[in-house]
């Protein structure tokens, strides 16, 4: 018995925010943002568009792509740091809206590595016999926790969702998944208020503590070492050489992180997927959005080996080696 990726989906808000729009909001320039990050524009959810809206659309597309019905799904895992509410989970909202029945549904918080964490849990659910088909969604509306007066963070992030259906199969598709965390670095990328440590108050609102805070340089430094290292480990566990990887889809955090990771892995840039210019960093959603896009463009063929890697808040990081089994 093996586990395969049977379907992929993605959903993005319609509204586009360009670097030129940002020039009017904070002291920045298209030139600075482009050279430091590779980002040209990003999608932004409307006021009446919560994360669940994009999660449902992406999930629906992934289920259809898998040739399944929502009722065939045995569990829903939503990776997000911007759920609709603290509780109930966005996973419960998705399962209910898609009329999936009384199946387990929950959220996981693993920052930008969330989708790989979700895939790892889904893989274990299926291998242990608890489920046949699991829907994993990565979704963020980071614009809602972005401080639009802070030029060091507001230029980086975007909104959207991506999803995958993992299914039991006679073939093997998930060759390896490795996930890791180091909580001692938590405050290098975090949202201070709104939880039990610092509940919402007049003080927290006045001091802008409900927004994402980041030490960009430190995050950068760790991302460019952890992503290649865990990718190498996952490749080793899968018994795959980097030269046999057809496509590397890294978390889209910063084009400089992507290039540096590619160089450290020794893979040519024409086999490294990037769409950060159009969507910015969509955190847990970035890998499945990019994956679906590469698939739509015909860049992935049956039996191709795909490498995925991510790094994010926690710190968390991870990598997966997947053999594409769809025609
Ligand atoms: C955020 C990031 C793009 C900043 O790039 P950097 O090259 O490290 O830039 P620095 O922070 O050193 O800042 C350089 C200068 O540009 C300024 N600057 C920062 N943001 C700016 C902006 N949007 N526009 C113009 N100038 C800006 C800084 O104030 C600093 O000025 P100074 O030298 O006078 O102090 C980069 O650190 C990064 O991408 N980090 C990782 C972030 C990330 O991926 N997070 C999510 C992880 S999943």
């Amino acid at each position: 018995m093996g586990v395969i990726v049977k379907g992929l989906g993605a959903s993005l808000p319609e509204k586009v925010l360009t670097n030129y729009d940002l020039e009017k909001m904070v002291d920045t320039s298209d030139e600075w943002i482009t050279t430091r990050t590779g980002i040209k524009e990003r999608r932004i959810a409307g006021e009446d568009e919560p994360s669940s809206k994009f999660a449902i659309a992406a999930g629906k597309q992934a289920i259809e792509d898998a040739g399944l019905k929502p009722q065939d799904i045995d569990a829903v895992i939503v990776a997000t740091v911007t759920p609709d509410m603290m509780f109930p989970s966005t996973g419960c909202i998705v399962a209910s809206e898609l009329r999936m029945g009384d199946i387990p549904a929950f959220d996981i918080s693993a920052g930008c590595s969330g989708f790989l964490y979700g895939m790892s849990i889904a893989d274990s659910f299926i291998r242990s016999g608890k489920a046949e088909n699991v829907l994993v969604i990565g979704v963020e509306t980071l614009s809602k926790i972005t401080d639009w007066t802070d030029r060091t963070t507001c230029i980086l992030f975007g909104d959207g969702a991506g999803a995958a259906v993992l299914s039991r199969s006679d073939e093997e598709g998930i060759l390896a998944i490795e996930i890791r965390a180091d909580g001692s670095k938590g405050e290098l990328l975090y949202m201070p208020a709104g939880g039990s440590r610092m509940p919402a108050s007049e003080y927290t609102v006045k001091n802008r503590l409900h927004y994402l805070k980041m030490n960009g340089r430190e995050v950068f430094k760790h991302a460019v070492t952890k992503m290649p290292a865990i990718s190498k480990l996952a490749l080793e566990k899968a018994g795959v050489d980097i030269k046999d990887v057809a496509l590397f889809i890294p978390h889209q955090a910063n084009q400089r992180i992507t290039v540096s990771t590619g160089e450290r892995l020794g893979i040519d840039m024409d086999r490294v997927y990037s769409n950060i210019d159009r969507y910015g960093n969509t955190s847990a959603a970035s890998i499945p959005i990019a994956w679906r896009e590469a698939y739509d463009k015909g860049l992935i063929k049956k039996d191709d080996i795909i490498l995925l890697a991510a790094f994010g808040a926690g710190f968390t990081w991870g990598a997966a080696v997947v053999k594409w089994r769809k025609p």
Side-chain angles (χ1 to χ4, degrees):
M1 190 208 74
V3 179
I4 60 164
V5 175
K6 209 172 191 175
L8 291 173
S11 169
L12 288 143
E14 274 175 26
K15 188 184 165 198
V16 174
L17 185 78
T18 67
N19 291 349
Y20 298 107
D21 295 325
L22 281 165
E23 284 181 356
K24 295 179 199 128
M25 297 161 65
V26 288
D27 181 14
T28 191
S29 66
D30 170 58
E31 200 267 330
W32 193 95
I33 302 171
T34 307
T35 52
R36 300 284 177 135
T37 71
I39 303 166
K40 298 296 282 183
E41 59 185 46
R42 65 289 288 146
R43 300 298 180 91
I44 303 291
E47 262 176 43
D48 57 348
E49 293 182 314
S51 288
S52 61
K53 175 179 171 173
F54 306 104
I56 290 163
K60 218 168 149 209
Q61 191 184 36
I63 294 167
E64 280 164 15
D65 186 42
L68 298 173
K69 291 190 282 304
Q71 294 71 32
D72 297 323
I73 300 296
D74 304 308
V76 179
I77 303 168
V78 174
T80 185
V81 296
T82 46
D84 282 24
M85 296 164 269
M86 289 276 276
F87 67 89
S89 73
T90 302
C92 287
I93 296 168
V94 171
S96 163
E97 289 291 322
L98 292 180
R99 296 188 166 72
M100 289 170 157
D102 299 342
I103 58 165
F106 53 95
D107 291 358
I108 53 167
S109 171
C112 302
S113 313
F115 184 74
L116 293 181
Y117 268 65
M119 274 184 63
S120 179
I121 298 167
D123 182 68
S124 304
F125 260 52
I126 296 166
R127 286 188 203 279
S128 67
K130 276 194 194 314
E132 198 170 324
N133 303 300
V134 180
L135 176 63
V136 182
I137 301 172
V139 63
E140 302 292 1
T141 46
L142 290 171
S143 64
K144 316 244 182 190
I145 59 162
T146 295
D147 184 345
W148 293 103
T149 65
D150 175 9
R151 69 173 184 173
T152 68
T153 54
C154 77
I155 53 130
L156 290 171
F157 301 104
D159 301 338
V165 174
L166 271 65
S167 298
R168 189 162 69 205
S169 169
D170 296 336
E171 293 182 306
E172 191 55 276
I174 308 291
L175 306 186
I177 304 189
E178 293 295 322
I179 50 173
R180 298 285 188 279
D182 175 4
S184 71
K185 309 281 189 313
E187 293 189 2
L188 295 172
L189 174 50
Y190 76 135
M191 189 172 87
S196 59
R197 188 179 291 189
M198 211 188 280
S201 67
E202 204 180 324
Y203 172 85
T204 61
V205 173
K206 211 182 265 176
N207 288 281
R208 311 185 78 76
L209 299 175
H210 295 273
Y211 293 123
L212 177 159
K213 313 278 177 198
M214 181 177 68
N215 179 331
R217 270 184 217 182
E218 282 300 310
V219 173
F220 193 101
K221 219 170 67 191
H222 285 88
V224 295
T225 53
K226 298 290 191 206
M227 270 169 56
I230 197 145
S231 297
K232 283 180 187 165
L233 181 68
L235 287 166
E236 196 185 303
K237 293 227 167 154
V240 169
D241 193 283
I242 188 72
K243 71 173 179 356
D244 297 321
V245 171
L247 195 65
F248 173 36
I249 306 176
H251 163 51
Q252 310 283 306
N254 180 324
Q255 188 61 15
R256 284 157 54 213
I257 295 177
T258 293
V259 170
S260 166
T261 304
E263 280 169 1
R264 286 173 198 230
L265 283 172
I267 185 167
D268 297 336
M269 278 310 285
D270 61 354
R271 286 187 288 139
V272 181
Y273 196 77
S274 172
N275 62 6
I276 193 160
D277 56 330
R278 282 169 292 125
Y279 305 130
N281 178 348
T282 57
S283 187
S286 91
I287 288 177
I289 290 172
W291 200 351
R292 173 73 207 203
E293 211 175 66
Y295 168 51
D296 284 339
K297 286 183 177 170
L299 296 177
I300 304 169
K301 294 180 188 53
K302 187 162 192 313
D303 295 331
D304 272 357
I305 304 256
I306 300 160
L307 172 66
L308 313 171
F311 180 87
F315 287 158
T316 57
W317 60 101
V321 182
V322 177
K323 192 161 190 171
W324 188 250
R325 295 297 194 172
K326 280 171 74 70

